[in-house]
Amino acid sequence: MQASLPAPLFALAKIQPPRPRTGLVARPQLERDLGQALMHKRLTLLLAPAGYGKTSALTRQIRQLPEGCALAWVSADEDDQLQRFLSCLTTALEPFDLPWRVAPEALALLAQAEHGLRDVVAELVNALAGAEAERGLIVVDDAHRLSDPRIFSLLQAVLERLPAPWGLVIASRVEPPLSLARLRAEGELAEFRQFELRFNEAEVAALMASCTTAGEAAVSAAELLERTDGWAAGLRLSLSTRPAAARARAPTQRHLFDYLAAEVLDDLPAELRGFLLRCSVLPELTAARCEYVTGEVHAARLLEDIERRGLFASVMETDEFTLRLHDLFRDFLEDRLQREHPSELPQLLRRAAEHEADLSRAVGYLARAGAWDEATAVLVKRAQEQLSVGAGSTLERLLGLFPEQELAQRPDLQLVRGLAAWPHFDWATLLTAMQQAAEGFALAGRARDAALTRTNVCSGLHHAGRLAEASRELAQLRTLKLDDAARAFVYYTSAWDAFANARTDEVAPMFAEMLVSLERAPVPMLWNQFPTHCVFVGLPGMQPLLDRFAQGATRVCGDAPTQLRAAVMHIRAWLALTSGRLDEAGQWLGRAEEDCHWLGMPRLVVTEHRLARVIWLALRGESEAAHAVARELVEDLRQHSPLSHRQVHESEVLFVHARAAWILQDAAALRALDADLQRAGNAFEWPAAPLNRAMSQAFIALIDGRLHDAQQLLAPLANDINRSLFYPATQARLMLADVQLQRGQTDAAAATLRPWFDDMQDGREIGGALLAGPQVLPRLQAAAWGQRLSADDRGLLARLAGLLEASGPAQTPTPRPADPAGLSEREAEVLARIAAGDSNKLIARAFDLSPHTVKRHVANILGKLGVDTRGQAAARWREMAPAPSAQGQ
């Protein structure tokens, strides 16, 4: 089963360049210079006020690019934020089958990860470098509309690392905030400003000669040039109006445009004039859209008339005939519409919002119309889709379009506001919004929605350290009669509540109830809401439940990379760790890491991944790598989480690092981490935090040789049998027995170990025993136990000591020769198609795969073969292909 991807979150016309207008006059100097720039410069900048023909010059020139040039066009809008810009850019690059190593649609999520834009730039640049094009261009038209500074940070970083065959082209009314001076000095910048773009007298004369109304203008080329200063928009309008208008003067170009445009508009047939005014609410005009919005049944004929008359409209490169009005003309028409037909505008905007795929546009239309009910419905319906692709900032911006009074009285909007706070771990905002939403739903009689929102409140309370409130609320919620989807969420949150309160025996019963509800509702979107379970591994009764969950998740959601699939791999990795199968754990972690990277490093899943990887690396003795991952874990929390989240969880991630340092016997790191742990204490921590600090102090006592102090600290921690790697009980028990042995208390040591041995009779889950470390376990194995331990008990200790002795630091892998055996059967089939010259779309069609899955296979193939481009992979395939048999010759 292939996971479906969300539809593009923008109008596809944004990535389609306009067609050059027919009848354009030749501009040899501009065409020659611009053509050279597009082929050879890293950055080409077209910078001039509105109406100077920036887009026209570009669209004409790109038609003359040599065959084989790759072109990605993005028309910027005011509401473009980084996420939408990245979505536009990667979709525009789609035809060129770039060798992505991360899902293109996940780049927005990747931008929110620890290294943010740096990682996005690296992925984008590496994909561009693997393109098989002699020249490639990324064009950003109307860049003056962009207000998100992160987009320009992205463009600046891409410029600095842009592969040689690629160039960036920016058309803008204002100078973009990029480091242009260095590019000028390096000769990598071509600039076409107002002077270069203005028409000269010869070009004005040619334009007049091509215009059928030029004779009526009764002005010379020199006069027209003087009045317009070579401004393309002014020239075109002057040659389209009556002679008196052509001689008009105005204090600014904008005033001149409005004056001349009024002359043009008033000369149009009434039917066409009214159609143009009413269509001005739309950024792109198609017959179907215009007919629906205006009610004009002859929309197709009128659009053709607009194009024939050259009324400041560009024809887009789309299958369906599509026009885009020039900004100046559209602004003028909208102003006229509001003055002449103000009562019609709200309904026109409402109709424009219907069937609009671009959420930002749809909500923007409805906000302008004051249609808050419809705007709320559209936003709520698409909110989960936006969150799944890292577009929480888009939701926050759209919420800002609503007046405060509307926000306050609409619980659905407060719910969206709370959900948008989740990715930032902004629990204060989440709690405020969700509590308001729950109250609103209750007043409206929407009991199910109120229950779900109250459950979200409980999650926020957990992470704000307000556990008692959450427990009371969840106890009430569990008494309600709910459908399976809502019930699953309540019991999932209840399982976390039990874990957070250290009521470990209660986790499995709650999780089991959640699982029953999920299994009765096999809907991928529902299962995907429950991706974090690794902390439950090893708790009483959890192993069969986690196995069942993993099987169900795989069955319902398929094998395409998702956050849920990565979570299943983490469950498998932790189950392997808790059973001492370190090699298997490493394999699961390797696969999960590939998915995390492909998905854009979503923060929740990556945190879970790092927790497992730190411990696994430490158990293998890989000190440098373990410390590096642990530092990433801690730094991500400190740098990208609000204070409330850090207060609750900082001691947890510090303790994971401390346990790794203990396994590695890194005394300096242990002392530094213990100091951090003691400082991190606060009133909002979960109950396990004091236990973690006591365990850290025991580590310090042991490295100082203070065995008595260590025994005093370890004894209270070892009072439980807990196989979970997230609680210190089992680790503390084995370390306590080791201290007792060192102090000559062999009988006490055997008594300390006896409950653990009894619990280990199944021989499967050894829990936190390995965390006692490679110093402790060999001493326990070698001790003179006599009759105090059975042969089976001693065998278990020997097995544990052997596991750590055998694991050792990983050796640098020898590069694997390119061999078909290194690829899965499907990957080999895909590679054969690549070698045959098939595009991703053809490959998807041949094997009945989604394009997303094909991209993932291509990324795997390039990684396994150690190559960067599809062409290199194809060459390797031909090298690997067996030579023809000589038989029969």
Side-chain angles (χ1 to χ4, degrees), residues 538 578 659 695 714 717-738 752-753 755-757 759-760 765-773 776-777 780 796 800:
T578 200
R659 295 177 98 173
M695 190 71 175
L714 290 169
L717 299 175
N719 64 357
D720 189 18
I721 299 296
N722 194 321
R723 299 176 185 179
S724 171
L725 296 181
F726 289 91
Y727 285 95
T730 298
Q731 181 183 8
R733 183 174 293 275
L734 270 71
M735 291 173 63
L736 175 61
D738 178 54
T752 296
L753 291 175
W756 179 70
F757 282 129
D759 198 59
M760 290 296 105
E765 294 186 30
I766 56 178
L770 286 177
L771 305 189
V776 170
L777 294 174
L780 292 176
L796 178 56
L800 292 176

Short mmCIF file of all heavy atoms in Angstrom, two decimals, residues 538 578 659 695 714 717-738 752-753 755-757 759-760 765-773 776-777 780 796 800:
data_model
loop_
_atom_site.label_atom_id
_atom_site.label_comp_id
_atom_site.label_asym_id
_atom_site.label_seq_id
_atom_site.Cartn_x
_atom_site.Cartn_y
_atom_site.Cartn_z
N GLY A 538 9.66 -2.32 27.63
CA GLY A 538 10.18 -2.90 28.87
C GLY A 538 9.27 -2.75 30.05
O GLY A 538 9.50 -3.38 31.09
N THR A 578 16.50 -4.06 24.51
CA THR A 578 16.10 -4.59 25.81
C THR A 578 16.27 -6.10 25.89
O THR A 578 16.22 -6.67 26.98
CB THR A 578 14.64 -4.18 26.13
OG1 THR A 578 14.42 -4.28 27.53
CG2 THR A 578 13.66 -5.05 25.41
N ARG A 659 24.06 8.54 31.44
CA ARG A 659 24.13 7.08 31.41
C ARG A 659 25.10 6.60 30.33
O ARG A 659 25.84 5.63 30.52
CB ARG A 659 22.74 6.50 31.16
CG ARG A 659 21.78 6.78 32.28
CD ARG A 659 20.39 6.27 31.99
NE ARG A 659 20.16 4.98 32.61
CZ ARG A 659 18.98 4.36 32.62
NH1 ARG A 659 17.94 4.92 32.01
NH2 ARG A 659 18.83 3.19 33.21
N MET A 695 20.81 8.86 40.77
CA MET A 695 21.64 7.90 40.02
C MET A 695 22.91 8.58 39.51
O MET A 695 24.00 7.99 39.56
CB MET A 695 20.82 7.36 38.84
CG MET A 695 21.49 6.19 38.12
SD MET A 695 21.45 4.70 39.13
CE MET A 695 22.15 3.50 38.00
N LEU A 714 22.40 4.04 45.73
CA LEU A 714 21.84 3.02 44.84
C LEU A 714 20.74 2.20 45.49
O LEU A 714 19.80 1.76 44.81
CB LEU A 714 22.94 2.09 44.34
CG LEU A 714 23.95 2.70 43.36
CD1 LEU A 714 25.15 1.76 43.16
CD2 LEU A 714 23.27 2.97 42.01
N LEU A 717 17.18 3.19 44.83
CA LEU A 717 16.85 3.13 43.42
C LEU A 717 16.62 1.70 42.95
O LEU A 717 15.97 1.48 41.91
CB LEU A 717 17.98 3.75 42.59
CG LEU A 717 18.29 5.22 42.87
CD1 LEU A 717 19.52 5.67 42.07
CD2 LEU A 717 17.09 6.09 42.52
N ALA A 718 17.17 0.74 43.67
CA ALA A 718 17.11 -0.66 43.26
C ALA A 718 15.94 -1.40 43.89
O ALA A 718 15.94 -2.63 43.95
CB ALA A 718 18.43 -1.36 43.60
N ASN A 719 14.95 -0.65 44.39
CA ASN A 719 13.85 -1.29 45.12
C ASN A 719 12.73 -1.78 44.21
O ASN A 719 11.65 -2.09 44.66
CB ASN A 719 13.27 -0.32 46.16
CG ASN A 719 12.65 0.91 45.50
OD1 ASN A 719 12.71 1.06 44.29
ND2 ASN A 719 12.10 1.79 46.32
N ASP A 720 12.97 -1.81 42.91
CA ASP A 720 11.93 -2.21 41.97
C ASP A 720 12.55 -3.08 40.89
O ASP A 720 13.76 -3.03 40.65
CB ASP A 720 11.29 -0.96 41.35
CG ASP A 720 10.06 -1.31 40.53
OD1 ASP A 720 9.52 -2.41 40.70
OD2 ASP A 720 9.64 -0.47 39.73
N ILE A 721 11.73 -3.89 40.28
CA ILE A 721 12.16 -4.63 39.09
C ILE A 721 11.49 -3.97 37.90
O ILE A 721 10.27 -4.00 37.75
CB ILE A 721 11.73 -6.11 39.16
CG1 ILE A 721 12.37 -6.78 40.37
CG2 ILE A 721 12.11 -6.83 37.88
CD1 ILE A 721 13.87 -6.83 40.29
N ASN A 722 12.27 -3.36 37.06
CA ASN A 722 11.71 -2.61 35.93
C ASN A 722 12.62 -2.81 34.74
O ASN A 722 13.78 -2.43 34.77
CB ASN A 722 11.62 -1.13 36.31
CG ASN A 722 10.76 -0.36 35.33
OD1 ASN A 722 10.81 -0.60 34.14
ND2 ASN A 722 9.97 0.57 35.85
N ARG A 723 12.09 -3.41 33.71
CA ARG A 723 12.93 -3.72 32.56
C ARG A 723 13.10 -2.53 31.61
O ARG A 723 13.84 -2.62 30.65
CB ARG A 723 12.32 -4.89 31.78
CG ARG A 723 12.21 -6.16 32.61
CD ARG A 723 11.52 -7.26 31.82
NE ARG A 723 11.32 -8.45 32.64
CZ ARG A 723 10.73 -9.55 32.20
NH1 ARG A 723 10.29 -9.60 30.96
NH2 ARG A 723 10.57 -10.59 32.99
N SER A 724 12.39 -1.46 31.84
CA SER A 724 12.47 -0.31 30.95
C SER A 724 13.87 0.30 30.99
O SER A 724 14.47 0.44 32.06
CB SER A 724 11.45 0.76 31.35
OG SER A 724 11.67 1.95 30.64
N LEU A 725 14.36 0.70 29.82
CA LEU A 725 15.64 1.40 29.76
C LEU A 725 15.52 2.86 30.19
O LEU A 725 16.52 3.55 30.29
CB LEU A 725 16.20 1.33 28.33
CG LEU A 725 16.54 -0.06 27.81
CD1 LEU A 725 17.11 0.02 26.40
CD2 LEU A 725 17.54 -0.76 28.72
N PHE A 726 14.30 3.32 30.44
CA PHE A 726 14.10 4.72 30.80
C PHE A 726 14.01 4.94 32.30
O PHE A 726 13.88 6.07 32.76
CB PHE A 726 12.86 5.28 30.10
CG PHE A 726 13.05 5.43 28.63
CD1 PHE A 726 12.73 4.41 27.76
CD2 PHE A 726 13.58 6.59 28.11
CE1 PHE A 726 12.92 4.55 26.39
CE2 PHE A 726 13.78 6.74 26.74
CZ PHE A 726 13.45 5.71 25.88
N TYR A 727 14.00 3.86 33.09
CA TYR A 727 14.02 3.97 34.54
C TYR A 727 15.31 3.33 35.04
O TYR A 727 15.82 2.36 34.46
CB TYR A 727 12.81 3.28 35.16
CG TYR A 727 11.53 4.05 35.01
CD1 TYR A 727 10.67 3.79 33.95
CD2 TYR A 727 11.18 5.05 35.92
CE1 TYR A 727 9.49 4.50 33.80
CE2 TYR A 727 10.00 5.76 35.78
CZ TYR A 727 9.15 5.48 34.72
OH TYR A 727 7.99 6.19 34.57
N PRO A 728 15.87 3.81 36.14
CA PRO A 728 17.19 3.32 36.57
C PRO A 728 17.16 2.06 37.43
O PRO A 728 18.22 1.58 37.86
CB PRO A 728 17.73 4.50 37.39
CG PRO A 728 16.50 5.16 37.95
CD PRO A 728 15.44 5.00 36.90
N ALA A 729 15.98 1.47 37.69
CA ALA A 729 15.88 0.42 38.70
C ALA A 729 16.81 -0.76 38.42
O ALA A 729 17.58 -1.17 39.29
CB ALA A 729 14.44 -0.06 38.82
N THR A 730 16.74 -1.34 37.22
CA THR A 730 17.55 -2.53 36.93
C THR A 730 19.03 -2.19 36.90
O THR A 730 19.86 -2.93 37.45
CB THR A 730 17.12 -3.14 35.59
OG1 THR A 730 15.75 -3.54 35.68
CG2 THR A 730 17.97 -4.34 35.23
N GLN A 731 19.39 -1.09 36.28
CA GLN A 731 20.79 -0.66 36.25
C GLN A 731 21.30 -0.45 37.67
O GLN A 731 22.40 -0.90 38.03
CB GLN A 731 20.91 0.63 35.45
CG GLN A 731 22.34 1.17 35.35
CD GLN A 731 22.41 2.49 34.60
OE1 GLN A 731 21.40 3.09 34.28
NE2 GLN A 731 23.62 2.95 34.33
N ALA A 732 20.49 0.21 38.49
CA ALA A 732 20.89 0.45 39.87
C ALA A 732 21.06 -0.85 40.64
O ALA A 732 21.97 -1.00 41.47
CB ALA A 732 19.86 1.35 40.56
N ARG A 733 20.21 -1.84 40.38
CA ARG A 733 20.28 -3.12 41.11
C ARG A 733 21.59 -3.84 40.82
O ARG A 733 22.27 -4.34 41.73
CB ARG A 733 19.07 -3.99 40.74
CG ARG A 733 19.01 -5.31 41.48
CD ARG A 733 17.71 -6.03 41.17
NE ARG A 733 16.57 -5.31 41.71
CZ ARG A 733 16.11 -5.44 42.97
NH1 ARG A 733 16.73 -6.27 43.82
NH2 ARG A 733 15.06 -4.77 43.37
N LEU A 734 21.99 -3.91 39.54
CA LEU A 734 23.23 -4.59 39.21
C LEU A 734 24.44 -3.81 39.72
O LEU A 734 25.43 -4.42 40.17
CB LEU A 734 23.33 -4.82 37.70
CG LEU A 734 22.73 -6.16 37.22
CD1 LEU A 734 21.20 -6.14 37.33
CD2 LEU A 734 23.12 -6.46 35.78
N MET A 735 24.39 -2.51 39.64
CA MET A 735 25.50 -1.70 40.15
C MET A 735 25.60 -1.80 41.67
O MET A 735 26.70 -1.83 42.23
CB MET A 735 25.33 -0.25 39.72
CG MET A 735 25.52 -0.05 38.21
SD MET A 735 25.11 1.61 37.64
CE MET A 735 26.31 2.59 38.53
N LEU A 736 24.45 -1.90 42.36
CA LEU A 736 24.46 -2.07 43.82
C LEU A 736 25.10 -3.40 44.19
O LEU A 736 25.92 -3.48 45.14
CB LEU A 736 23.02 -1.99 44.35
CG LEU A 736 22.85 -2.27 45.86
CD1 LEU A 736 23.64 -1.26 46.70
CD2 LEU A 736 21.37 -2.25 46.24
N ALA A 737 24.74 -4.45 43.45
CA ALA A 737 25.34 -5.76 43.72
C ALA A 737 26.85 -5.70 43.53
O ALA A 737 27.62 -6.29 44.31
CB ALA A 737 24.73 -6.82 42.82
N ASP A 738 27.31 -4.97 42.51
CA ASP A 738 28.74 -4.84 42.26
C ASP A 738 29.42 -4.10 43.41
O ASP A 738 30.52 -4.49 43.86
CB ASP A 738 28.96 -4.10 40.95
CG ASP A 738 30.42 -3.88 40.64
OD1 ASP A 738 31.19 -4.86 40.63
OD2 ASP A 738 30.81 -2.71 40.43
N THR A 752 20.59 -9.12 46.50
CA THR A 752 20.18 -7.99 45.65
C THR A 752 19.82 -8.47 44.25
O THR A 752 18.83 -8.00 43.66
CB THR A 752 21.31 -6.95 45.57
OG1 THR A 752 21.52 -6.39 46.88
CG2 THR A 752 20.98 -5.84 44.59
N LEU A 753 20.59 -9.43 43.73
CA LEU A 753 20.36 -9.91 42.38
C LEU A 753 19.20 -10.90 42.28
O LEU A 753 18.61 -11.05 41.20
CB LEU A 753 21.62 -10.57 41.82
CG LEU A 753 22.81 -9.65 41.53
CD1 LEU A 753 24.02 -10.46 41.11
CD2 LEU A 753 22.44 -8.64 40.45
N PRO A 755 15.91 -11.14 43.12
CA PRO A 755 14.62 -10.79 42.49
C PRO A 755 14.75 -10.55 40.98
O PRO A 755 13.82 -10.87 40.22
CB PRO A 755 14.21 -9.49 43.22
CG PRO A 755 14.95 -9.53 44.50
CD PRO A 755 16.26 -10.20 44.22
N TRP A 756 15.87 -10.02 40.60
CA TRP A 756 16.06 -9.77 39.16
C TRP A 756 16.21 -11.08 38.41
O TRP A 756 15.61 -11.27 37.34
CB TRP A 756 17.30 -8.88 38.95
CG TRP A 756 17.57 -8.60 37.50
CD1 TRP A 756 16.85 -7.81 36.67
CD2 TRP A 756 18.65 -9.12 36.73
NE1 TRP A 756 17.41 -7.78 35.40
CE2 TRP A 756 18.52 -8.59 35.41
CE3 TRP A 756 19.71 -9.97 37.00
CZ2 TRP A 756 19.40 -8.89 34.39
CZ3 TRP A 756 20.60 -10.26 35.98
CH2 TRP A 756 20.45 -9.73 34.68
N PHE A 757 17.00 -12.03 38.97
CA PHE A 757 17.14 -13.34 38.31
C PHE A 757 15.78 -14.03 38.19
O PHE A 757 15.45 -14.62 37.16
CB PHE A 757 18.10 -14.23 39.11
CG PHE A 757 19.55 -13.91 38.90
CD1 PHE A 757 20.39 -13.72 39.98
CD2 PHE A 757 20.07 -13.80 37.63
CE1 PHE A 757 21.73 -13.43 39.79
CE2 PHE A 757 21.41 -13.51 37.43
CZ PHE A 757 22.24 -13.32 38.52
N ASP A 759 12.94 -12.69 37.89
CA ASP A 759 12.14 -12.03 36.86
C ASP A 759 12.68 -12.28 35.46
O ASP A 759 11.97 -12.08 34.48
CB ASP A 759 12.12 -10.52 37.13
CG ASP A 759 10.99 -9.82 36.40
OD1 ASP A 759 9.82 -10.18 36.64
OD2 ASP A 759 11.27 -8.94 35.57
N MET A 760 13.93 -12.72 35.38
CA MET A 760 14.56 -12.93 34.07
C MET A 760 14.44 -14.37 33.59
O MET A 760 15.11 -14.77 32.64
CB MET A 760 16.06 -12.61 34.16
CG MET A 760 16.39 -11.14 34.33
SD MET A 760 15.88 -10.13 32.92
CE MET A 760 14.43 -9.34 33.60
N GLU A 765 13.84 -10.37 28.06
CA GLU A 765 13.99 -8.94 28.31
C GLU A 765 14.97 -8.70 29.45
O GLU A 765 14.66 -8.93 30.60
CB GLU A 765 12.63 -8.31 28.65
CG GLU A 765 11.65 -8.33 27.51
CD GLU A 765 10.38 -7.58 27.86
OE1 GLU A 765 10.44 -6.62 28.65
OE2 GLU A 765 9.32 -7.96 27.35
N ILE A 766 16.15 -8.27 29.10
CA ILE A 766 17.16 -8.01 30.13
C ILE A 766 17.15 -6.55 30.57
O ILE A 766 17.87 -6.15 31.47
CB ILE A 766 18.57 -8.39 29.64
CG1 ILE A 766 18.91 -7.66 28.35
CG2 ILE A 766 18.67 -9.89 29.45
CD1 ILE A 766 20.30 -7.95 27.84
N GLY A 767 16.31 -5.75 29.90
CA GLY A 767 16.07 -4.39 30.35
C GLY A 767 17.32 -3.56 30.48
O GLY A 767 18.20 -3.58 29.63
N GLY A 768 17.41 -2.83 31.56
CA GLY A 768 18.52 -1.90 31.77
C GLY A 768 19.78 -2.54 32.28
O GLY A 768 20.72 -1.83 32.65
N ALA A 769 19.82 -3.88 32.32
CA ALA A 769 21.01 -4.55 32.87
C ALA A 769 22.27 -4.18 32.11
O ALA A 769 23.34 -3.99 32.70
CB ALA A 769 20.81 -6.07 32.86
N LEU A 770 22.20 -4.08 30.79
CA LEU A 770 23.39 -3.74 30.00
C LEU A 770 23.93 -2.36 30.36
O LEU A 770 25.13 -2.11 30.20
CB LEU A 770 23.06 -3.78 28.50
CG LEU A 770 22.88 -5.16 27.87
CD1 LEU A 770 22.49 -5.01 26.40
CD2 LEU A 770 24.17 -5.97 27.98
N LEU A 771 23.07 -1.48 30.85
CA LEU A 771 23.51 -0.13 31.18
C LEU A 771 24.41 -0.08 32.40
O LEU A 771 25.04 0.94 32.68
CB LEU A 771 22.30 0.79 31.39
CG LEU A 771 21.29 0.87 30.24
CD1 LEU A 771 20.28 1.97 30.50
CD2 LEU A 771 21.98 1.12 28.92
N ALA A 772 24.48 -1.21 33.14
CA ALA A 772 25.45 -1.26 34.25
C ALA A 772 26.86 -1.08 33.74
O ALA A 772 27.74 -0.60 34.46
CB ALA A 772 25.31 -2.58 35.00
N GLY A 773 27.09 -1.45 32.47
CA GLY A 773 28.34 -1.10 31.83
C GLY A 773 29.38 -2.19 31.78
O GLY A 773 29.30 -3.20 32.48
N VAL A 776 31.20 -3.16 35.24
CA VAL A 776 30.42 -3.84 36.28
C VAL A 776 30.12 -5.29 35.88
O VAL A 776 30.31 -6.22 36.68
CB VAL A 776 29.11 -3.08 36.54
CG1 VAL A 776 28.17 -3.89 37.44
CG2 VAL A 776 29.43 -1.73 37.16
N LEU A 777 29.64 -5.51 34.68
CA LEU A 777 29.17 -6.84 34.30
C LEU A 777 30.27 -7.91 34.34
O LEU A 777 30.02 -9.02 34.82
CB LEU A 777 28.51 -6.77 32.92
CG LEU A 777 27.20 -5.95 32.87
CD1 LEU A 777 26.70 -5.80 31.44
CD2 LEU A 777 26.14 -6.60 33.74
N LEU A 780 30.76 -8.89 37.97
CA LEU A 780 29.69 -9.75 38.47
C LEU A 780 29.84 -11.17 37.96
O LEU A 780 29.62 -12.15 38.69
CB LEU A 780 28.33 -9.18 38.04
CG LEU A 780 27.90 -7.86 38.68
CD1 LEU A 780 26.59 -7.38 38.08
CD2 LEU A 780 27.77 -8.01 40.20
N LEU A 796 23.60 -16.24 32.74
CA LEU A 796 23.01 -14.98 32.30
C LEU A 796 24.00 -13.84 32.46
O LEU A 796 24.16 -12.99 31.56
CB LEU A 796 21.73 -14.68 33.09
CG LEU A 796 21.03 -13.36 32.77
CD1 LEU A 796 20.69 -13.24 31.28
CD2 LEU A 796 19.75 -13.22 33.61
N LEU A 800 25.59 -11.45 29.46
CA LEU A 800 25.57 -9.98 29.46
C LEU A 800 26.97 -9.41 29.27
O LEU A 800 27.18 -8.50 28.46
CB LEU A 800 24.97 -9.45 30.77
CG LEU A 800 23.48 -9.72 30.99
CD1 LEU A 800 23.06 -9.23 32.37
CD2 LEU A 800 22.65 -9.04 29.92
#
